[in-house]
Amino acid sequence: MEYQVKIDAFEGPLDLLLHLIKKLEIDIYDIPVAVITEQYLDFIHQMQTLELDVASEYLVMAATLIEMKSRMLLPKPELLFDEEMMEEDYEDDPREALIRRLVEYRQYKEAAEVLKEKEEDQAFLFSKRAHDLSQFEVEKKSEAPLAPTTVYDMLSALQHLLRKKHINRPLRTKIERQTLPVGERMRSILSHLRIMKSPQPFASLFPYPDRTHIVVTFLALLELMKLKQIHCEQEENFEDITISLNEGGEALEFDEETFRD
Amino acid sequence: MNSTKRLSVIEALLFVTGEEGLSMEQLVHILDEPEAQIQEGLSQLSQTLEQESRGLELTIVANRYKLVTKRDVSEYIKRLIENPRPVSLSQAALETLAIIAYKQPISRAEIEDVRGVKSEKAIQTLISKELVKEVGRAEGTGRAILYGVTERFLTHFGLKSLDELPVIKTDLKDVEEETNLFYENIQQTLFE
């Protein structure tokens, strides 16, 4: 075996074919089908002897190559122009479709390389987080009625929050692990909102930079929305979401058991 | 305002706005000066920072001016990081991202056609890193989700705009022309 490559080293059958084309110094526009098919199947067999899982895409490509090889051996069919056969649908070289795919894929692979270089270039150039100047602003009076938020708005708020917490994490923290049932978190959110006389900013409900706590809180919020105990609002796109108690949401009746973790 | 004062104001503004930076429009609005003046202030600031004794430089990313640390000090910044992790996206994610950047708006099926492999995981990774977002739905049956790149994509790769991406023949017509060339060659050899 002249080369022992893991199948993981390739991004799929097209990538593998490009590798073979490069290795055998083949002109991509004039692929010797017999040679490439043999090499390709060789590779697949090696994978199987190494008892590696060969993804189905590789097998589909193997079948395509074999079919192509046999079609290349057949004499050319007579071209019959009838209404069902448009000339442009007719490929007179069985390799054409594959060549196109390979050429196109190769371009994006090259573009990915460029991106990778640019990414490495950027990796350790830092700028600092923008100062939060909101404390110097006059509270905005909300004039327009607030638009109801969707779960997607909530998710994006959560994403921002996670990133922020991650960046602002102290260098060394020690967090005691403890399980927090969603039901319990739901109760504490409601009482927090009652004490604070609502509405509260989304971020204020996530006081701990702890993944479990954040996830449980998020689930609790979704449950409370479903139970129509609270509603979330967002004044403008990308502004912080605010959480408010619903009128008449005083007495909460839900089965704690349902929300056991 | 004189040019020295302008320089200090711009520097201070860019310090405060940090990674978010400021657009030309914002600078014009805040300094209340014409764009040409601001432009001059920015290039003066850039030159001042270029001196070797300074650790920051002025960059423009996604049409926003901001201050970032210079490349040649990154070695020392890395020492602040206790356990540095590899920064790069996976090969699968990079390829998927390249296809989306050039062919947006594009559906998952179209991406998979180009790559010849399933790409769901790569797309999810890119969405969670906010480099890619849903930009709409395709017409017709299934209403497939269409993806495009975000502004964060530009920031991540330090691109001023999408135009900075290397030019590639994304148009299959070009590929077709190349394929046609190959046929002409074939025919020539046949009829010689």
Side-chain angles (χ1 to χ4, degrees), chain A residues 11-12 14 29 57 93 96 101 104-105 107-108 115 119 121 124 126-128 130-131 163, chain B residues 15-17 19 67-69 71 77-78 88-89 95 103 113 115 130 152 156-157 169 178 182:
Chain A
E11 287 298 327
L14 291 172
Y29 293 105
E57 293 110 344
D93 187 322
E96 190 181 348
R101 290 188 71 193
E104 190 185 14
Y105 174 67
Q107 289 180 326
Y108 291 114
L115 287 181
E119 182 178 44
D121 248 11
F124 288 99
F126 293 94
S127 47
K128 49 176 247 355
H131 274 102
R163 190 173 328 118
Chain B
F15 165 76
V16 171
T17 50
E19 63 184 359
L67 297 173
V68 297
T69 55
R71 200 172 307 271
I77 295 174
K78 280 185 201 172
S88 181
L89 291 162
E95 277 180 21
K103 297 184 78 154
D113 272 350
R115 293 189 65 225
E130 288 185 57
R152 181 170 275 277
H156 187 89
F157 294 99
K169 295 175 186 163
E178 285 192 54
F182 144 67

Side-chain angles (χ1 to χ4, degrees), chain A residues 147-162 189 200-203 205-206 214-226 230-234 237-244, chain B residues 130:
Chain A
T149 41
T150 65
V151 168
Y152 296 104
D153 296 327
M154 301 270 293
L155 272 171
S156 97
L158 182 72
Q159 240 169 17
H160 280 282
L161 193 87
L162 283 173
I189 289 173
Q200 284 298 300
F202 182 81
L205 297 169
F206 297 85
I214 288 172
V215 171
V216 170
T217 303
F218 190 70
L219 289 174
L221 283 173
L222 291 180
E223 285 293 347
L224 289 169
M225 282 168 82
K226 201 169 91 183
I230 58 167
H231 61 280
C232 304
E233 291 160 335
Q234 192 178 25
N237 266 344
F238 313 117
E239 283 209 349
D240 201 8
I241 289 175
T242 54
I243 317 276
S244 329
Chain B
E130 288 185 57

